[in-house]
Amino acid sequence: MDKAYKLAVEIKDLYGENAYTDFMLAEIYWEKGEQNRAIDLYKLILERGTGFDTQEFRLSLLNRLYLAYEEKMDYEHALEYYIRGSSLKDSLHTIQREKNIQDIKIAYKTEKKEIKIGDLEKEKRLTLWLGITGGTVLLFALAFFIARQRLIVNKQRLSEEKIKQLEKEKQLVATQAVLDGETAERTRLARDLHDGLGGMLSVVKLNLNDMKNGVSIESEDVMRFDRVVGLLDESIQELRRVAHNMMPDSLTRYGLRVSLNDFCNS
């Protein structure tokens, strides 16, 4: 150990090896019963401090000095180093406790981020599904409306041609029958639009609202969700307006005069 100490001095002790060497020398003196020399080395290491000097190492030195003075029955110094050691030990426990708390906080934040990422992925899937569903429903409604309108126009044109032909032939009875058939067709079409497609769109709206209640959504996505539902409401209102224009309910209930008054007022 003496040779190791001299070598540590020669290399200028960049890594604190002489502190380790002094400590081992002090241990040897202690085992040989040379407590005073051991105490001097312990105190020298404690006061000098090196790169090898950690809190745990200082705690070991303080415990060694406490035991050495206790064995020498120098209870005053023994108490002094005991108190210093206890204080350092409490400090180490505090540091470790704070480190444990910090680790728990980091673990909590990590778990919270993972949950947040999972929620965002669910929200993205929900938004995509809503967009696809809403687009499909709107396209279906538009295609249905266009097809029906073309059918109505074609039927109306054919009816008008038949009316002209029947008027020329003075077949007023047949002409009235054609008009009655057209009215019946408009009534049936209006009912199909209002009760059939209108009911389907209302069910879609209810299902979308039920899905919204079961999913955690950010405020920005809530606004986009509400816009989709708003567009769906507008589509339902437009569908009802078209159905009403095709065959007003007042016409079948109260006759032409009341229906005309309602139309002019609106």
Side-chain angles (χ1 to χ4, degrees):
M1 294 311 301
D2 285 336
K3 290 179 180 180
Y5 178 79
K6 291 178 181 180
L7 184 58
V9 172
E10 290 178 6
I11 65 175
K12 297 183 180 180
D13 185 33
L14 297 178
Y15 302 100
E17 291 297 333
N18 64 344
Y20 175 75
T21 305
D22 287 340
F23 182 78
M24 295 304 300
L25 283 171
E27 295 287 288
I28 293 171
Y29 289 142
W30 183 266
E31 293 296 329
K32 290 177 63 178
E34 300 179 22
Q35 286 88 351
N36 290 333
R37 296 185 68 179
I39 288 172
D40 290 341
L41 277 175
Y42 288 142
K43 292 171 69 176
L44 176 64
I45 300 169
L46 188 63
E47 294 170 359
R48 181 175 57 198
T50 65
F52 186 72
D53 186 20
T54 63
Q55 296 290 6
E56 290 79 7
F57 186 57
R58 289 177 63 83
L59 182 61
S60 298
L61 292 172
L62 291 172
N63 287 335
R64 288 289 197 280
L65 287 168
Y66 154 66
L67 293 174
Y69 279 114
E70 185 182 43
E71 188 168 320
K72 290 180 61 178
M73 297 184 181
D74 185 349
Y75 298 115
E76 181 178 356
H77 286 93
L79 180 60
E80 174 189 349
Y81 286 104
Y82 176 78
I83 292 173
R84 290 176 63 182
S86 298
S87 177
L88 180 59
K89 187 176 182 180
D90 291 341
S91 177
L92 290 175
H93 286 168
T94 300
I95 294 173
Q96 184 62 36
R97 184 169 60 254
E98 291 177 353
K99 182 178 180 299
N100 292 339
I101 292 174
Q102 190 65 26
D103 291 341
I104 292 173
K105 287 182 178 179
I106 292 173
Y108 172 74
K109 289 180 179 179
T110 302
E111 182 179 0
K112 191 174 181 181
K113 287 181 180 178
E114 292 176 353
I115 293 174
K116 182 67 174 179
I117 291 172
D119 290 341
L120 288 174
E121 290 178 351
K122 290 180 181 178
E123 291 169 11
K124 288 180 180 178
R125 289 196 295 269
L126 175 61
T127 302
L128 179 61
W129 189 89
L130 288 175
I132 295 173
T133 303
T136 303
V137 170
L138 292 176
L139 288 175
F140 175 76
L142 181 61
F144 183 83
F145 176 74
I146 292 173
R148 285 294 187 178
Q149 284 295 105
R150 288 180 177 176
L151 180 61
I152 291 171
V153 171
N154 291 334
K155 286 187 176 182
Q156 185 175 0
R157 186 171 59 250
L158 293 174
S159 298
E160 291 174 353
E161 292 176 355
K162 288 181 180 180
I163 289 173
K164 291 178 181 179
Q165 181 180 359
L166 292 174
E167 284 179 349
K168 291 178 181 179
E169 298 175 358
K170 296 183 179 181
Q171 295 179 357
L172 297 178
V173 176
T175 302
Q176 185 62 43
V178 172
L179 291 174
D180 290 341
E182 180 182 348
T183 302
E185 176 63 18
R186 292 173 66 88
T187 302
R188 184 184 66 80
L189 180 57
R191 184 172 58 251
D192 289 344
L193 285 174
H194 184 275
D195 297 339
L197 184 57
M200 290 172 61
L201 292 177
S202 298
V203 171
V204 170
K205 177 184 173 184
L206 292 174
N207 287 332
L208 290 178
N209 287 327
D210 289 340
M211 289 179 60
K212 178 182 176 183
N213 295 332
V215 180
S216 173
I217 305 178
E218 293 290 341
S219 60
E220 182 180 356
D221 292 332
V222 170
M223 294 176 62
R224 291 193 304 209
F225 184 95
D226 290 339
R227 283 200 298 270
V228 172
V229 176
L231 289 173
L232 190 57
D233 280 332
E234 293 177 7
S235 299
I236 294 173
Q237 294 298 326
E238 181 65 16
L239 181 64
R240 289 175 178 172
R241 186 187 67 80
V242 172
H244 179 76
N245 288 339
M246 292 180 64
M247 180 54 65
D249 187 60
S250 59
L251 182 62
T252 57
R253 289 175 178 268
Y254 307 110
L256 179 61
R257 178 168 181 167
V258 175
S259 179
L260 287 175
N261 286 331
D262 290 343
F263 177 77
C264 292
N265 289 333
S266 64

